[in-house]
C-alpha cells in the first residue's frame, strides 16, 4: 500500500496580478496539467492567458525550496498559443518528447470553428519551438488533431466526452502505449456522467519527430472510484501519470459537488502497477501514513512525478479562491495556483 505525506504547500504566480482579458474580466489561474522534465515544471491552464508575450503553457525551475515562479517562462510558439483548454501533459515513454492534450470536449461538425479544442501536441524536450500537431486532418491547412478525434470517438463510444488524462507507458509494440484518461461521457455537455476510463493506442516516433499511432485506439482500463468505501463524492478522472521508478501508473480523481447547499471540491489519488493495469485489476487508494484516505481539499487536476519518492500536485479550483491549509491567507489572488508537494512511501 502506498502512503503519502505532505512535504510542502504553496501557490504559484502564473501571470501578473490584476491581469484582465479583452472583455475586462479578471483572469483566473486554472492550472489543469503539470509535468517535470528533470529540471523544470511545465504547467498548462485550461483557460487562455492573454497577452502576446504569454500563453497557457509555461515552465519554471523546480528547486530544493520548491517551484521558482520568479523565473517563469511562457511557451509562445504559435501552435502552442493556438490550442485551447489544455488538460494534461506527459513525457513520451523514453522521456525525449513532451506531449500536451486539450480536452477534445467540443467540435463543430459544420465548420472548423472549434478545432482549437482538439489538439494533441508534441515537441522535443526543451525545444517547444519545434512543436507539431499529432494525427492532424489529412487536408492541408486544417488545424487540429482531427484524425485523432475520430479515433477517440470510436474508442469512447459516446457523442460527448472530455479528455483530462494523458500518459505514455512502456508498451508491447513500437515506442510505447499512449493513454488518454476520460473524465466525462454522455449525450451532451449538459447530459453526462463522471467516469474513470482509459483508452489508448501504441505509437512510434517518426523521423520528423512526430507521434504516429500504430494500432487501434481501444479501451485499456476502467474503474469506479465510488466502489471504494472511503470515497465520499462522485468523481471523474482528472490526470494520469506514469511513475518509471516503480513501473506504476497514478490516477488522479477530482470532484466538484454541492453538499448542504455549499460547493465542495477535492480529489483522490490511486496507483496501480503496470502488471495489474494490464490485467484490469482495481487500483489502490493512496492513503496517509496512518492508513486514512488521502482526500485533497482542493480540486486536484495535475500530477507530476519528481523523483523516486516525491509527487507534485497542481490544483485547478476554478473560481474558488479559498486556500484552506495551503496558506495562512484566507484567499488566493486570481493569478495564483495552489500546489502540494507529497512524499510517497
Amino acid at each position: 500500500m502506498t502512503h503519502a505525506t505532505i512535504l510542502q504547500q504553496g501557490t504559484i504566480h502564473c501571470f501578473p496580478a490584476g491581469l484582465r482579458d479583452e472583455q475586462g474580466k479578471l483572469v483566473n489561474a486554472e492550472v489543469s496539467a503539470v509535468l517535470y522534465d528533470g529540471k523544470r515544471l511545465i504547467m498548462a491552464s485550461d483557460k487562455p492567458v492573454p497577452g502576446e508575450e504569454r500563453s497557457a503553457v509555461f515552465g519554471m525551475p523546480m528547486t530544493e525550496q520548491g517551484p521558482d515562479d520568479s523565473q517563469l517562462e511562457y511557451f509562445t510558439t504559435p501552435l502552442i498559443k493556438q490550442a485551447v483548454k489544455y488538460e494534461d501533459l506527459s513525457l513520451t515513454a523514453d522521456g525525449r518528447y513532451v506531449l500536451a492534450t486539450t480536452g477534445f470536449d467540443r467540435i463543430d461538425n459544420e465548420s472548423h470553428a472549434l478545432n482549437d479544442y482538439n489538439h494533441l501536441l508534441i515537441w522535443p524536450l526543451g525545444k517547444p519551438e519545434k512543436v507539431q500537431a499529432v494525427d492532424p486532418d489529412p487536408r492541408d491547412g486544417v488545424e487540429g488533431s482531427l484524425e485523432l478525434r475520430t479515433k477517440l470517438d470510436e474508442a469512447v463510444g459516446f457523442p460527448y466526452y472530455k479528455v483530462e488524462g494523458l500518459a505514455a507507458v512502456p508498451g508491447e509494440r513500437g515506442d510505447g502505449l499512449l493513454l488518454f484518461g476520460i473524465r466525462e461521457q454522455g449525450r451532451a455537455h449538459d447530459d453526462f456522467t463522471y467516469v474513470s476510463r482509459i483508452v489508448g493506442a501504441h505509437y512510434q516516433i517518426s523521423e520528423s519527430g512526430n507521434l504516429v499511432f500504430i494500432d487501434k485506439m481501444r479501451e485499456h482500463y476502467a474503474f469506479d472510484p465510488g466502489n471504494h468505501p472511503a470515497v465520499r463524492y462522485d468523481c471523474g478522472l482528472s490526470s494520469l501519470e506514469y511513475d518509471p521508478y516503480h513501473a506504476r501508473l497514478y490516477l488522479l480523481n477530482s470532484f466538484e459537488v454541492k453538499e448542504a447547499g455549499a460547493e465542495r471540491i477535492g480529489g483522490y489519488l490511486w496507483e496501480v502497477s503496470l502488471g495489474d493495469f494490464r490485467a484490469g485489476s482495481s487500483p489502490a487508494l493512496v492513503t496517509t501514513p496512518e492508513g486514512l484516505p488521502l482526500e485533497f481539499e482542493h480540486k486536484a487536476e495535475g500530477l507530476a512525478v519528481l523523483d523516486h519518492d516525491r509527487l507534485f500536485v497542481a490544483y485547478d479550483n476554478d473560481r474558488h479562491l479559498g486556500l484552506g491549509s495551503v496558506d495562512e491567507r484566507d484567499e488566493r489572488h486570481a493569478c495564483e495556483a495552489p500546489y502540494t508537494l507529497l512524499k510517497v512511501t
Side-chain angles (χ1 to χ4, degrees), residues 92-113:
T92 50
D94 61 7
R96 295 175 56 204
Y97 293 85
V98 175
L99 298 165
T101 188
T102 63
F104 286 85
D105 61 337
R106 64 197 75 182
I107 192 73
D108 185 339
N109 293 319
E110 304 301 322
S111 74
H112 298 300

Side-chain angles (χ1 to χ4, degrees), residues 9 47 61 90 100 119 177 188 240 294 303 332 341:
Q9 299 196 93
K47 296 293 188 300
S90 175
H119 276 78
L177 176 66
L240 295 175
L294 178 69
L303 182 68
R332 67 179 173 90
L341 186 62

Side-chain angles (χ1 to χ4, degrees), residues 16-81:
L19 182 67
R20 295 183 179 272
D21 61 20
E22 293 179 353
Q23 286 74 42
K25 295 181 180 179
L26 197 64
V27 180
N28 188 51
E30 301 188 28
V31 172
S32 54
V34 61
L35 72 77
Y36 180 60
D37 69 3
K39 296 180 180 179
R40 297 190 303 172
L41 292 170
I42 301 174
M43 299 184 176
S45 169
D46 66 7
K47 296 293 188 300
V49 178
E52 283 300 314
E53 74 282 13
R54 303 185 194 97
S55 81
V57 183
F58 47 89
M60 69 196 70
M62 181 65 189
T63 72
E64 291 183 2
Q65 292 72 42
D68 183 1
D69 57 15
S70 71
Q71 299 187 59
L72 186 147
E73 176 188 0
Y74 298 101
F75 293 13
T76 55
T77 304
L79 185 55
I80 294 177
K81 284 178 67 70

Side-chain angles (χ1 to χ4, degrees), residues 181-204:
I182 309 301
R183 175 180 177 81
E184 301 172 1
Q185 65 183 27
R187 295 176 56 86
H189 70 91
D190 55 357
D191 180 12
F192 68 87
T193 55
Y194 287 113
V195 294
S196 293
R197 292 181 67 195
I198 299 175
V199 302
H202 287 88
Y203 68 88
Q204 286 180 337

Side-chain angles (χ1 to χ4, degrees), residues 158-174:
F158 285 82
Y160 167 80
Y161 55 88
K162 181 187 284 187
V163 172
E164 287 213 10
L166 185 70
V169 302
E172 300 170 350
R173 298 182 56 192

